[in-house]
Amino acid sequence: QCEPCEDCYKQTTPIFDPSKSKTYKTLPCSSNTCESLRNTACSSDNVCEYSIDYGDGSHSDGDLSVETLTLGSTDGSSVHFPKTVIGCGHNNGGTFQEEGSGIVGLGGGPVSLISQLSSSIGGKFSYCLAPLFSQSNSSSKLNFGDEAVVSGRGTVSTPIVPKNGLGFYFLTLEAFSVGDNRIEFGSSSFESSGGEGNIIIDSGTTLTILPEDDYLNLESAVADAIELERVEDPSKFLRLCYRTTSSDELNVPVITAH
């Protein structure tokens, strides 16, 4: 979020004021970066203006700019990345938390942070997201470069399927298991490509969204495994809701994605 704010959500930390920065600069409409982005417009003083909407209804509008980004490193010193492209948002809203000052883009697109830092980090990044509502106050970790390699006992991995130019991270989903009951994932639209890269993984989407046939197979397997009274979701959004009392044993099956 950036001053001057036309319409900003409440933020607990100070809002960034570009007028107080010597390294901040807006980008002109003729810049390659401006032309490489979708949904840009040109202001009367030739500043590239971006507008972005997210799947959950959040949005940000403002000036496309460059600024020096400073990150901490494993040896205790700071690393500076001058002329990092940022969106200086004057109009932001949606599902933002007060503690956050905006969104960091980690996709495969041309101006994501990963693409911009790529030569410095060897294209490698990883994160461990602590549970959102946990009481332990554990913090999430985000690593770039060699420290980003996740290894050790109990670590499992699945390959990312490269699909150039789309910016998403594709994986190959083979099946779900509900307890010991395995349900194959059979989306016909991907059969021609051998099923490779049939889903995307996205930390900004809180729900797992499936094609209808696959969803109904999974829903009926979960419903068969839970022996409680089904009720309607008060928000009329989710389908598997149950009535419980404090004495009910809530036996929910483990659902595994293969």
Side-chain angles (χ1 to χ4, degrees):
Q1 300 206 100
C2 269
E3 299 285 8
C5 264
E6 290 158 27
D7 186 11
C8 289
Y9 62 88
K10 188 169 174 242
Q11 182 182 318
T12 48
T13 53
I15 289 177
F16 176 61
D17 187 349
S19 68
K20 295 181 176 162
S21 168
K22 292 192 177 87
T23 47
Y24 175 87
K25 198 162 169 253
T26 56
L27 287 172
C29 306
S30 57
S31 67
N32 290 340
T33 308
C34 185
E35 289 176 1
S36 73
L37 277 182
R38 295 193 303 260
N39 298 341
T40 55
C42 203
S43 73
S44 54
D45 48 0
N46 194 36
V47 171
C48 181
E49 296 185 332
Y50 75 91
S51 176
I52 187 161
D53 292 294
Y54 294 92
D56 66 356
S58 301
H59 70 274
S60 177
D61 306 274
D63 300 330
L64 199 66
S65 318
V66 289
E67 177 59 288
T68 298
L69 173 73
T70 304
L71 298 176
S73 81
T74 46
D75 66 7
S77 63
S78 293
V79 189
H80 306 287
F81 299 97
K83 297 191 174 153
T84 304
V85 177
I86 62 165
C88 195
H90 303 298
N91 181 346
N92 319 285
T95 55
F96 293 101
Q97 308 288 318
E98 292 182 5
E99 300 81 12
S101 51
I103 285 180
V104 56
L106 300 175
V111 291
S112 85
L113 187 60
I114 301 309
S115 302
Q116 292 190 68
L117 300 186
S118 192
S119 58
S120 311
I121 63 176
K124 289 184 279 202
F125 77 100
S126 67
Y127 50 74
C128 175
L129 300 177
L132 190 57
F133 302 112
S134 81
Q135 304 303 312
S136 64
N137 283 336
S138 52
S139 60
S140 298
K141 283 190 170 53
L142 177 56
N143 290 310
F144 303 96
D146 291 340
E147 277 297 302
V149 178
V150 180
S151 60
R153 195 170 161 208
T155 303
V156 293
S157 66
T158 191
I160 289 174
V161 179
K163 291 196 181 187
N164 292 338
L166 291 171
F168 296 113
Y169 295 109
F170 289 85
L171 308 180
T172 303
L173 179 65
E174 297 171 359
F176 285 103
S177 288
V178 177
D180 296 329
N181 179 13
R182 186 179 165 109
I183 303 137
E184 296 302 317
F185 182 72
S187 178
S188 56
S189 56
F190 291 104
E191 276 169 14
S192 56
S193 60
E196 286 287 292
N198 57 6
I199 61 161
I200 63 165
I201 191 162
D202 171 21
S203 63
T205 307
T206 36
L207 299 169
T208 302
I209 298 165
L210 300 171
E212 189 170 20
D213 291 356
D214 293 293
Y215 172 75
L216 291 172
N217 290 340
L218 184 62
E219 183 192 82
S220 71
V222 175
D224 287 347
I226 300 178
E227 296 175 353
L228 288 168
E229 181 194 346
R230 289 268 296 268
V231 290
E232 197 175 289
D233 172 9
S235 61
K236 302 201 171 10
F237 186 59
L238 300 172
R239 296 256 291 268
L240 286 174
C241 295
Y242 293 90
R243 188 186 309 286
T244 64
T245 63
S246 53
S247 61
D248 283 326
E249 282 258 337
L250 189 58
N251 289 323
V252 177
V254 172
I255 300 175
T256 308
H258 300 283

